[in-house]
Every structure is written in C-alpha cells, then in structure tokens.
Amino acid sequence: MTRVAILGYGNIGRAAEQAIKAAPDLEFAGIYHHNDCLDCLEADVVLLCTPTREVPKFAAVLAAKGICTVDSFDIHGQICDLRAQLNPVCEANKTVSIISAGWDPGSDSVVRALLMAMAPKGITYTNFGPGRSMGHSVAAKAIDGVKNALSMTIPLGTGVHRRMVYIELEDGADFKTVEAAILADDYFAHDETHVIAVPDVDALNNVAHGVSLVRSGVSGETHNQRFEFNMEINNPALTGQVMVSCARAAARMRDRGEVGAKTMIELRPIDLLPGEKESLIKALV
Amino acid sequence: MTRVAILGYGNIGRAAEQAIKAAPDLEFAGIYHHNDCLDCLEADVVLLCTPTREVPKFAAVLAAKGICTVDSFDIHGQICDLRAQLNPVCEANKTVSIISAGWDPGSDSVVRALLMAMAPKGITYTNFGPGRSMGHSVAAKAIDGVKNALSMTIPLGTGVHRRMVYIELEDGADFKTVEAAILADDYFAHDETHVIAVPDVDALNNVAHGVSLVRSGVSGETHNQRFEFNMEINNPALTGQVMVSCARAAARMRDRGEVGAKTMIELRPIDLLPGEKESLIKALV
C-alpha cells in the first residue's frame, strides 16, 4: 500500500482525505500542518494542499528528503519555473514531484494535449465557469468599503468571460464609489463586469465550477474536426481526487526509477488508476 | 527526422499520408502494399493501414525486423491478446508497437481513463454516431437480395444505439423478405433497427462520424460530478492523424529504450506532440 499524507487542511485537503480513504490501494498517512515539524513525517507521497504560493517551498523541502509530492500549483505563468526548480532536487534525491495536478492546470491540460494530437492545427478555447474565482474574489474584497466579496466567472464562449461580483458593503460605504473602484481594478477592467450589492455574501457561496473546452481543428488536411469537453463539478472534490490519482502515479514512477518534476501531460493515464494493467486495458481501451 | 511509412492505402492510409506530410518533424517514407516485399522497407515507424484482421500478422513481421508500428486494430475483445502476442517480439527486437491507436479504441480510451481518474466511481457511457458502421454495413450487404447497404449508427444515449439500414435491392428481390432477414440477423436483432430501400446507396456515403462520452461519477465522497466529451469528425482523417501522432510517440519511446507493445493509455500525452517539452508545457498546462 502506498502511504499518502496531506499537508494543509482546507477544502482541498479535506476532499483529498476522502479520496485517499476511498482508494483501494492507498493508505491514509495523516494530516500535517504548515508549521509542523516535517522530520517525523512517514509517507511515500505528500499532497500539498497549502495555498498555492507556499507550494514551491514545501515541494523542495520534501523532495530533498526523497518524498514524492503532488500539488495543484495554479499560477499558469510560473509552472515551467517550478518544474525547472524542482526537477534537479527530485533527480538528486530519486523522487517524483507531480506539479499543477488539479483540473486547470491538470486534467484540462491532458485534454488540450490530446485534442492537439487529434487535430494539430486549430484553436482550443477554454471557457471557465460558472463558478467562483478565488483570485477575483480576493481582489474585490481588497477594495476600500468592501466587507466581503464573491466573484463568479461566467463563460461567454471563445475564452471570453463575464465577472459577476457580489459584494457586502462596509457600514457607510457608497455603492457607486465601490463599484467604480472594482471596475477600474486591473482584475476586472478587461472583462464585462457587473457589481451587485447583497446583504450576505456567505449565503451565496457554492463550490460548484465547470469548464467547456472547445476545439475546431485540422487533422492532416481535413478541416472542421470538432471537439468539446464539458464538466460541471464540485471544485475541491475534483481537485482533491485528481491529486490523489496523481499520488498513485508518483509512487509507481518512483518505483520504476522515472524520477523528476512532471506535469500531468508527462504521465501515462494508466498510472493514475488502481488495479492491474491488463484489466484496465480490457475495461477502458 | 523520424521516417514514417504506410502499409495499406485505403481511406485511412491516404489520410495518414496527409498527416505525415503536415507534421513538421516527420518524413514521409512511402507507401507499401500488402504483397510488397518488406525487406527493402526503410522507415523508423510503419503505420498499419491494412484491414484490421491483417494487423497482427504485419505487426509481428515488422516488430521482428526491429521496426516500430502503429495500428488502429479495433476488435475490442482481442486487444489484450494482440498486446500479449506482440510484446515479447517488441522486447526481443528493442522496438515499440502502439496498438489500437485510432479514436475508439484510441483517443476515446484516453478520455475514459482520465474520467475514471477524476471520478473513480460511476458509469461512463460511450455513444457512437451518427456515423457509418462498417461491420453492420457489411453484415447487411451479406443478406440475400441486397446489392449494397449502408448501416448508420444513431446514438440514443446511455450507450444504446439505433441502426438505420439503407439498402439497394437486387433486381426481383422482395423488400419485406429482405427486411425480415436483416432484422433477424445477430448484428441487428438486439438494437432498434429500421430498414429503408433506396435507389443508390453510394449516393448516401459520408465519412462523418461522432461520439459522445458521458460520465456522472464520484470524486472522493462527492457525487454528481458530471463530464462529457463530444466530437463530430471525418472518421478516416481523425484515425490517420491519431496514428501519425502515435508514430512520433513510438519513435521517442524506442529512443528512450521504453520498448514493448502499448495501448494509448500507456503513452504520455506530451509524446504525441511535436516540439520541445518546455514550450508544450507552457502552451498546454
């Protein structure tokens, strides 16, 4: 049994615990917190369910101890840097770090790679939502006069999104002033944005999310090849599950000596699944 | 440059030739026919675009020569046998055979594996069509009194399909008799089937096809995770393109010493794509 521990215990950590316990081939190796001493940690793989900015630090510390990690690091522009930074540490310590292993980046990346292999020329549009954007919610909450905020991402197609920003005002704050400040903020200035005052933001909270990946492309010389991948999911539950499936892959890769820092498009899909190769091929191929 | 040749030159062979020529990193190494002497064949990878039943024989002959092959062998119940038969030949000759690398089996298999990793419990329905079924068309054509036939597969959801059978009658054949024989045939007896007489079956021919993969499943303990993958495609163009993308993967795997017979769920998606790893990760992850 592969022993899988969790570092950090927010929404994703809790979902990951459930996914580990539901897996027939994994053993739950406990929860650790950011300030715990990690020297006594006993696990084959640690899931980094910390805030995304803390991932690089913990991944490097654990890789240096020869422990596999899986994270859902989601700052798209910094993924290659994280991979380049972790890769030599993993190689030196004969371990595996699977990075950016949520749904986007993560499973969506695998779908995008597959669609490009099926129709190399063309455009893939990634349409997010409807669902909460953490980054935009935090940006709205930082505006003067905003007590609490929820920014929903609404897909308008071809990768264009509307922002529906629900805000709870501080006592005495002026709605029009706050609205103008939100619309001028760099997070919102480039998208169609609607600001709505509500008495209680928390009453609107919902971890549902979704995506629609759309590609029209060319296979060989044949145009008009059309593809679409849609999902409507509980966001932390899916993120936690993808991380747990990647924990299995990390342990298998380390056992085969395939060490290093890897993104999900560098993994064999069969390694994500429990069970024997032959029966998986029989069931899925 | 990886040199890729084609054995067999029907619809799929022609589409594969176009896909090789469109690839920036592959060199077209010619067309071979079933009865050619294969001793003079010079290629790194051969695409087996022969009838599916001839695949096992040619794959074994070429693997024994140390040449990589890719096929789209589509008899679902025999895929594991083909893999088991080819694997030792590939290992002994340090080569790679990628088998069942079309769209189903093939790219659909990768989507099914990914969906299972995202929501391990649940049901995936594979709904084919609308599109022509070769097997059913051949079965209808074999009925006494049928001059030509086209059987279209129509998806009704939850993996249930309707068969629309367009037939051209032989002179003097009785429609009601022919219809009864088709409905009683084992290919059609288990599905809703409609038989329609037309003056010219060839006038209806169209290589369009499609699929809708639908999964509702459980991530960890969270139910109602919903996924859907749809495509509407030119069938031989997609099959040829997927085979060509797998030819690239086969050559890379052989160069790394990862030899053997593999299905698409055993490949890293990144190996299907041309270009440098870093730039692919930047573009797709």
Side-chain angles (χ1 to χ4, degrees):
Chain A
M1 299 277 268
T2 299
R3 297 163 306 164
V4 184
I6 293 171
L7 182 67
Y9 201 55
N11 281 342
I12 295 174
R14 274 189 291 272
E17 179 183 0
Q18 296 177 348
I20 296 168
K21 290 178 174 171
D25 57 336
L26 304 178
E27 187 183 319
F28 178 59
I31 308 278
Y32 294 82
H33 296 280
H34 303 197
N35 50 355
D36 285 356
C37 165
L38 298 178
D39 286 334
C40 53
L41 187 148
E42 283 204 18
D44 300 297
V45 187
V46 176
L47 307 182
L48 302 178
C49 303
T50 65
T52 211
R53 294 196 182 280
E54 296 184 12
V55 160
K57 176 183 65 184
F58 286 113
V61 166
L62 290 162
K65 291 178 186 294
I67 296 172
C68 294
T69 63
V70 176
D71 65 65
S72 57
F73 183 82
D74 65 355
I75 308 172
H76 282 262
Q78 297 176 20
I79 294 170
C80 280
D81 294 342
L82 176 59
R83 184 173 171 278
Q85 176 206 321
L86 284 178
N87 198 53
V89 188
C90 290
E91 288 185 344
N93 295 283
K94 299 196 182 350
T95 188
V96 175
S97 282
I98 301 183
I99 67 168
S100 301
W103 56 271
D104 204 316
S107 48
D108 279 0
S109 316
V110 176
V111 175
R112 282 189 288 261
L114 189 65
L115 296 186
M116 186 159 281
M118 296 164 87
K121 289 201 277 186
I123 300 172
T124 299
Y125 292 112
T126 301
N127 303 294
F128 292 108
R132 178 173 58 172
S133 165
M134 287 301 289
H136 289 79
S137 298
V138 168
K141 201 173 164 181
I143 302 283
D144 265 0
V146 177
K147 193 169 161 191
N148 201 358
L150 162 66
S151 179
M152 294 290 289
T153 304
I154 311 299
L156 302 180
T158 58
V160 175
H161 297 93
R162 175 188 297 142
R163 311 288 169 188
M164 297 295 291
V165 187
Y166 301 90
I167 57 167
E168 214 175 304
L169 289 170
E170 301 271 17
D171 285 347
D174 172 57
F175 175 75
K176 282 288 166 196
T177 309
V178 167
E179 183 188 38
I182 290 174
L183 296 180
D185 189 284
D186 201 55
Y187 261 88
F188 300 98
H190 314 287
D191 297 331
E192 178 193 326
T193 300
H194 302 257
V195 182
I196 298 154
V198 296
D200 182 4
V201 160
D202 201 48
L204 309 183
N205 259 323
N206 173 7
V207 296
H209 218 309
V211 85
S212 175
L213 288 164
V214 178
R215 184 173 183 85
S216 172
V218 185
S219 306
E221 292 177 7
T222 302
H223 292 244
N224 197 31
Q225 303 282 74
R226 294 177 172 276
F227 309 90
E228 195 187 346
F229 176 78
N230 303 315
M231 61 183 193
E232 297 177 337
I233 45 82
N234 174 312
N235 186 352
L238 181 59
T239 304
Q241 179 65 65
V242 171
M243 291 178 79
V244 169
S245 296
C246 287
R248 174 180 296 121
R252 287 178 177 164
M253 290 161 74
R254 192 194 42 189
D255 289 351
R256 290 195 299 256
E258 298 169 2
V259 301
K262 315 276 184 187
T263 58
M264 280 186 78
I265 66 173
E266 299 168 87
L267 312 183
R268 302 173 182 85
I270 199 169
D271 277 340
L272 300 169
L273 301 171
E276 293 303 315
K277 260 189 191 182
E278 286 255 324
S279 51
L280 289 169
I281 292 169
K282 214 160 263 172
L284 296 167
V285 179
Chain B
M1 299 277 268
T2 299
R3 296 164 306 164
V4 185
I6 293 171
L7 182 67
Y9 201 56
N11 282 342
I12 295 174
R14 272 189 293 272
E17 179 184 359
Q18 296 176 350
I20 297 167
K21 290 179 174 170
D25 57 335
L26 305 178
E27 188 183 319
F28 178 58
I31 308 277
Y32 293 82
H33 295 280
H34 304 196
N35 49 355
D36 286 355
C37 165
L38 298 179
D39 285 335
C40 54
L41 187 147
E42 282 204 18
D44 300 299
V45 188
V46 175
L47 306 182
L48 302 178
C49 302
T50 64
T52 213
R53 293 197 183 281
E54 296 184 11
V55 159
K57 178 183 64 181
F58 286 113
V61 166
L62 290 163
K65 292 179 187 291
I67 295 173
C68 294
T69 63
V70 177
D71 65 64
S72 57
F73 183 81
D74 65 355
I75 307 171
H76 282 263
Q78 297 175 20
I79 293 171
C80 281
D81 294 343
L82 176 59
R83 185 173 170 278
Q85 176 206 321
L86 284 179
N87 197 52
V89 188
C90 290
E91 288 185 345
N93 296 282
K94 299 195 181 354
T95 189
V96 175
S97 283
I98 301 183
I99 68 168
S100 300
W103 56 269
D104 204 316
S107 47
D108 279 2
S109 316
V110 176
V111 175
R112 283 190 288 262
L114 189 64
L115 295 186
M116 184 160 282
M118 295 163 86
K121 290 202 275 188
I123 300 172
T124 299
Y125 292 111
T126 301
N127 303 293
F128 291 108
R132 178 174 58 173
S133 166
M134 286 302 289
H136 289 79
S137 298
V138 169
K141 201 173 164 180
I143 302 284
D144 265 359
V146 177
K147 193 168 160 194
N148 201 358
L150 163 66
S151 179
M152 294 290 290
T153 304
I154 311 298
L156 301 180
T158 58
V160 176
H161 298 92
R162 175 189 297 144
R163 310 288 170 188
M164 296 296 290
V165 187
Y166 300 90
I167 55 167
E168 214 175 303
L169 288 170
E170 301 270 18
D171 285 347
D174 173 57
F175 175 76
K176 282 286 166 201
T177 310
V178 168
E179 182 189 38
I182 290 173
L183 296 179
D185 189 283
D186 201 53
Y187 261 87
F188 299 98
H190 313 289
D191 297 331
E192 178 192 328
T193 301
H194 302 258
V195 183
I196 298 154
V198 296
D200 182 4
V201 160
D202 202 48
L204 310 183
N205 259 324
N206 173 5
V207 296
H209 217 310
V211 84
S212 174
L213 288 164
V214 178
R215 183 172 183 86
S216 171
V218 185
S219 305
E221 291 178 8
T222 302
H223 292 243
N224 196 31
Q225 303 283 74
R226 295 178 173 274
F227 309 89
E228 193 186 350
F229 176 78
N230 303 314
M231 62 184 191
E232 296 176 337
I233 45 84
N234 173 311
N235 187 351
L238 181 59
T239 304
Q241 179 66 64
V242 170
M243 293 177 78
V244 170
S245 296
C246 286
R248 175 180 294 121
R252 286 179 178 164
M253 291 162 73
R254 191 193 43 187
D255 289 351
R256 289 194 300 256
E258 299 171 1
V259 300
K262 315 276 184 186
T263 58
M264 278 188 77
I265 66 172
E266 298 167 87
L267 312 184
R268 302 172 182 87
I270 200 169
D271 278 339
L272 300 169
L273 301 172
E276 293 303 314
K277 260 190 188 180
E278 286 254 324
S279 51
L280 289 168
I281 292 170
K282 214 160 263 172
L284 296 167
V285 179

